[in-house]
Amino acid sequence: MKISKKLIALCFAVITMLFVTVPTSAKVYTTEEHTNGITVYVAGNTDFYPVEYYDEGAEAYKGLFPELFKDISETTGIDFSYIDAKSKDRQELCHNKQVDVVSAFVDDEIKDVAGKVAVFTYKDGEKTHTVYIGFTDIADKSVIDAVTAAFTAKSENYWLSKTLLYTTEPQTHVPLWSYFIIGGIVLTVIVLVVLLIREKRAGRNKIDDQLDVLTGIGNDKYMRSTYDHFISDAGRSLYYFTYISFDVQRCEEYFGTSRAEDLQLYAAATINEATADTDFAARISNGVFLFCFEASNDETAELRLKEIIDKIRNYELASYSESFNFFRAGVYHLDVEKAAYEIAVSNAKAGYLCAVKEKKDIVFSTKELLKEESLQNRLKEKLSTAIDRGEFEIHVQFIYNTEQQRFSGGEVLSRWKNPQDGLLSPAYYIENMIKLGIIDKHDFYILDKTCQVLDKLKKNGINDFRLSCNFTRMTISSENFIARLREIVKKYDFDYNNLVFEITEDSLVDNQTITYRNILDCQTAGFRIALDDLGNGFSSFKDLCDYPIDLVKVDRHIISKAATDRGFALIKGLSHLAEELNIELLFEGVETEEENEILSRCTCTYIQGYYYSHVFPLNQAMDYYRNHPEKFKRKVTVKQ
């Protein structure tokens, strides 16, 4: 904007030096044809872009104020006629009572008006300025009332947000005959004109750069610019910054790119429709929308967002499938202290990711959630080298054998002994390891530690104690699984029958051919196979027939229903099914006397849970084994 003014001023100086007079247009700006016979004469501001300015090329006044005069004309029938642009001295026009309205003047720039109305304020450095509409004493009261009502109906944020859409000033037309000036003056004028044209094009490009090509609403550049300039310090705490998205990749895979774009067009229209004068929204990437809006409290904000999500949800249900991964939202309530745009996006996204994980429509990014997210990000950066540094250790939870009435084994569990954050459970790192593609490295590391323990137990004459370790889907379904497994176990001496591999049900869904071959090779070698978490998400009794399973671990969710008639019937049914299939059954997560008593009435070989054993670090587990030998000795002979 500053460049334009300097260039125009320089052009004018050059032309003035040559005593060239550029003729101004004799035309005036008018609205539609008269409808009620009332004509209002307006003294416009020729150089107050984008609020109001005179476009010599179009020979008309343009900008935000002229557009609003058009709206008033269409509504009331009053005709507004701008005075010829050659009339520069608007103050003189007021004094001579030649106009009814003086448009778009700042502060006390125009004094000879009978009345004026403040439209909006803006800051220039540290100084605040007010923009007015003025009336002379010849203005009709109906005109004053109509203009005042129309201009004051728009909020101050409306005017400021509108001005943000303009990034450069329009350029004054340079007459062609001026190019004939000889010598260096001609060259100077040509260079100036070229610069003006480039700037005008750049201005249009800047505006285009702030619009999303697909939806027509703002894009990331628009959102960033608006966020940085639109929200005042006083009103910042009223705003809620929202990250709204869905699984666009899955949508494209299932329904095609065209339908995914249709869904985003509808979402954009829905969000845009809900956007008030003080709000702003954008689509910043494929499938991702940002919506910043005012609300008095969290409850009001949630209700407003729920209306938007529900409206999009109804469209999704009608157009796609009930199994589709719907739009969800993460919300970050802006603090009094200004957060950088990137921080606001990141914080809102943290809420969205939590909403996806917990299958909720809306999640607020609370301080606790953001603290947890920060911890996860920090841990993710350290994961790649944590295994090499030996920061992972194994813990053991003993498993009770109901037939032998003793602890006959245990599950090996992973823990991360992080130097900064202390001992961390798998919830803090397993998911990130999967995303980073290093989960197999972790699984084989824990396998190596487990084999070390079994080797040590055998050297101490203990040959009837089983340990189980977990393998994730990515590991068990890999082509080189068996080769890496053999490389580890050949270093140790123990009975392979005492090593149990626990696999989750979803492991049987992905790469079925490779998974089946790996499981069969393990069982053929003498290792035992356990199906973990039966009843937690991927239950398929068909797998019990198709895969060589030795042991089934029933998830705690089923145990928690044991007190009900239907829950007890299910447990009895599972016990009977396992017996018929010659598969051992283990109930995990048993924590109360009531749950243990119920299981005692069923055919159940193994029980695991806090009722019988806590999770011990390996050293403490070994101490417990030595100090309580009676808990590990066989008391009842197993029936043949």
Side-chain angles (χ1 to χ4, degrees):
M1 188 177 295
K2 291 180 180 179
I3 296 175
S4 297
K5 288 182 177 179
K6 290 180 180 179
L7 290 174
I8 293 171
L10 188 53
C11 283
F12 181 78
V14 171
I15 296 170
T16 301
M17 287 190 297
L18 296 171
F19 304 100
V20 176
T21 303
V22 180
T24 57
S25 169
K27 294 184 180 181
V28 295
Y29 165 77
T30 59
T31 58
E32 302 296 331
E33 294 295 325
H34 300 278
T35 55
N36 64 6
I38 300 177
T39 301
V40 176
Y41 291 97
V42 182
N45 192 328
T46 61
D47 188 25
F48 194 8
Y49 180 88
V51 178
E52 190 173 82
Y53 61 96
Y54 185 74
D55 187 328
E56 290 187 1
E59 298 182 341
Y61 278 88
K62 292 186 179 181
L64 303 179
F65 280 24
E67 289 298 321
L68 193 51
F69 279 130
K70 283 185 180 181
D71 293 340
I72 301 172
S73 180
E74 292 172 359
T75 304
T76 64
I78 299 173
D79 183 47
F80 293 89
S81 180
Y82 274 85
I83 299 300
D84 195 324
K86 288 185 293 185
S87 302
K88 303 294 185 180
D89 192 350
R90 296 186 299 276
Q91 193 167 19
E92 182 180 346
L93 294 172
C94 299
H95 181 70
N96 296 331
K97 301 181 180 179
Q98 296 179 28
V99 295
D100 302 88
V101 176
V102 183
S103 180
F105 62 93
V106 179
D107 299 333
D108 296 325
E109 181 181 344
I110 306 298
K111 299 182 186 296
D112 288 338
V113 289
K116 60 182 180 180
V117 175
V119 180
F120 68 93
T121 61
Y122 68 94
K123 280 190 174 183
D124 183 8
E126 296 297 325
K127 190 174 182 180
T128 300
H129 299 282
T130 303
V131 180
Y132 293 94
I133 287 285
F135 306 97
T136 66
D137 54 11
I138 68 169
D140 187 88
K141 185 177 185 303
S142 62
V143 173
I144 296 174
D145 292 341
V147 173
T148 300
F151 277 79
T152 57
K154 301 293 185 180
S155 68
E156 183 165 303
N157 280 333
Y158 166 82
W159 294 108
L160 294 178
S161 63
K162 287 294 184 183
T163 60
L164 285 174
L165 295 177
Y166 296 85
T167 57
T168 187
E169 297 183 16
Q171 309 304 321
T172 303
H173 173 70
V174 179
L176 290 176
W177 57 266
S178 63
Y179 297 144
F180 294 98
I181 305 300
I182 62 172
I185 301 301
V186 172
L187 182 60
T188 302
V189 172
I190 292 174
V191 170
L192 292 174
V193 171
V194 171
L195 290 174
L196 288 171
I197 293 172
R198 287 182 177 178
E199 186 178 0
K200 188 172 183 178
R201 289 178 178 174
R204 280 199 297 267
N205 290 337
K206 286 181 181 178
I207 295 174
D208 293 340
D209 284 348
Q210 292 192 0
L211 294 179
D212 177 54
V213 176
L214 174 65
T215 63
I217 65 173
N219 59 16
D220 182 65
K221 289 184 178 179
Y222 163 77
M223 198 71 181
R224 184 185 301 271
S225 175
T226 308
Y227 177 82
D228 289 338
H229 297 97
F230 184 68
I231 303 175
S232 66
D233 293 339
R236 181 170 290 108
S237 60
L238 294 175
Y239 276 91
Y240 289 79
F241 197 93
T242 310
Y243 188 102
I244 304 174
S245 186
F246 74 113
D247 191 343
V248 65
Q249 183 176 359
R250 182 183 176 192
C251 181
E252 290 175 343
E253 290 174 354
Y254 277 79
F255 305 109
T257 302
S258 178
R259 295 191 71 185
E261 289 180 348
D262 288 343
L263 178 56
Q264 293 183 71
L265 284 168
Y266 181 80
T270 302
I271 296 171
N272 193 52
E273 183 182 353
T275 303
D277 289 345
T278 56
D279 309 333
F280 47 99
R283 188 182 85 123
I284 64 168
S285 62
N286 193 21
V288 179
F289 296 82
L290 297 181
F291 179 40
C292 193
F293 64 95
E294 280 188 327
S296 56
N297 52 52
D298 290 358
E299 291 74 17
T300 303
E302 185 171 9
L303 286 174
R304 189 171 176 189
L305 282 174
K306 193 174 188 309
E307 290 179 0
I308 295 174
I309 297 297
D310 286 347
K311 190 171 182 179
I312 301 175
R313 177 70 52 84
N314 290 335
Y315 178 82
E316 290 179 286
L317 288 172
S319 305
Y320 299 92
S321 165
E322 291 190 9
S323 63
F324 189 69
N325 190 1
F326 298 112
F327 271 85
R328 305 182 191 279
V331 191
Y332 171 56
H333 187 186
L334 299 185
D335 294 326
V336 176
E337 295 295 327
K338 183 176 181 179
Y341 171 74
E342 291 80 6
I343 298 298
V345 175
S346 176
N347 289 349
K349 185 178 180 180
Y352 166 75
L353 294 175
C354 183
V356 172
K357 184 177 181 180
E358 298 181 3
K359 296 182 179 180
K360 295 180 179 179
D361 290 341
I362 302 167
V363 171
F364 281 77
S365 296
T366 62
K367 290 182 179 179
E368 291 74 17
L369 186 147
L370 294 176
K371 183 178 179 181
E372 182 71 14
E373 178 72 10
S374 176
L375 173 62
Q376 289 285 0
N377 290 334
R378 189 170 72 252
L379 295 177
K380 188 184 298 185
E381 295 177 357
K382 302 175 181 178
L383 269 177
S384 298
T385 57
I387 296 176
D388 295 332
R389 293 194 300 265
E391 293 179 4
F392 288 88
E393 58 183 39
I394 63 174
H395 287 218
V396 177
Q397 184 175 37
F398 293 119
I399 296 172
Y400 186 75
N401 187 317
T402 60
E403 293 180 348
Q404 300 176 4
Q405 298 181 29
R406 69 176 183 116
F407 289 133
S408 61
E411 180 180 0
V412 174
L413 302 167
S414 167
R415 295 293 185 268
W416 183 6
K417 196 172 183 180
N418 186 278
Q420 286 75 38
D421 300 291
L423 197 65
L424 300 174
S425 70
Y428 285 93
Y429 55 86
I430 291 296
E431 186 175 341
N432 284 330
M433 281 184 166
I434 293 174
K435 292 178 180 178
L436 292 171
I438 60 173
I439 189 63
D440 58 330
K441 187 175 182 180
H442 166 271
D443 288 350
F444 285 114
Y445 178 87
I446 298 302
L447 171 64
D448 190 283
K449 294 292 184 182
T450 304
C451 292
Q452 288 182 33
V453 175
L454 289 171
D455 181 274
K456 187 175 182 179
L457 289 175
K458 184 176 181 179
K459 286 181 170 58
N460 284 277
I462 303 171
N463 297 306
D464 60 349
F465 194 81
R466 288 178 181 168
L467 288 177
S468 64
C469 62
N470 294 275
F471 281 112
T472 53
R473 176 176 59 185
M474 186 180 297
T475 305
I476 196 71
S477 62
S478 63
E479 288 278 5
N480 63 347
F481 173 78
I482 294 299
R484 294 178 69 180
L485 173 67
R486 288 171 177 165
E487 184 179 352
I488 292 173
V489 298
K490 71 180 182 181
K491 298 185 298 181
Y492 305 101
D493 180 24
F494 63 92
D495 185 352
Y496 286 179
N497 189 58
N498 285 332
L499 180 56
V500 183
F501 296 148
E502 294 189 20
I503 58 175
T504 55
E505 290 178 276
D506 61 340
S507 300
L508 308 182
V509 178
D510 198 26
N511 297 326
Q512 294 186 28
T513 301
I514 299 174
T515 303
Y516 179 83
R517 187 185 66 213
N518 288 340
I519 290 175
L520 187 61
D521 287 348
C522 287
Q523 195 176 57
T524 301
F527 302 108
R528 295 171 61 80
I529 305 298
L531 183 61
D532 196 13
D533 295 334
L534 181 72
N536 186 24
F538 286 87
S539 298
S540 175
F541 289 106
K542 175 177 173 293
D543 295 333
L544 299 179
C545 299
D546 292 346
Y547 289 89
I549 305 297
D550 299 301
L551 172 72
V552 171
K553 299 185 71 172
V554 181
D555 187 75
R556 165 155 180 80
H557 289 90
I558 293 179
I559 308 299
S560 63
K561 308 292 184 183
T564 66
D565 292 339
R566 295 174 69 87
F568 181 67
L570 176 60
I571 290 174
K572 286 188 66 177
L574 288 173
S575 300
H576 181 70
L577 178 62
E579 190 174 8
E580 289 294 319
L581 294 174
N582 195 28
I583 295 175
E584 294 181 318
L585 202 62
L586 183 152
F587 288 92
E588 58 182 342
V590 178
E591 298 180 355
T592 67
E593 173 64 36
E594 180 184 16
E595 292 170 347
N596 184 64
E597 191 277 328
I598 292 173
L599 292 178
S600 68
R601 292 184 272 139
C602 305
T603 303
C604 169
T605 307
Y606 302 104
I607 297 178
Q608 180 179 350
Y610 283 110
Y611 179 76
Y612 283 98
S613 168
H614 290 283
V615 177
F616 297 97
L618 179 61
N619 291 337
Q620 293 183 22
M622 294 298 98
D623 289 341
Y624 187 86
Y625 185 95
R626 286 189 292 268
N627 296 331
H628 299 83
E630 73 283 358
K631 294 182 179 291
F632 296 88
K633 288 182 179 179
R634 189 186 304 242
K635 298 179 181 178
V636 177
T637 303
V638 180
K639 297 179 180 179
Q640 300 296 325

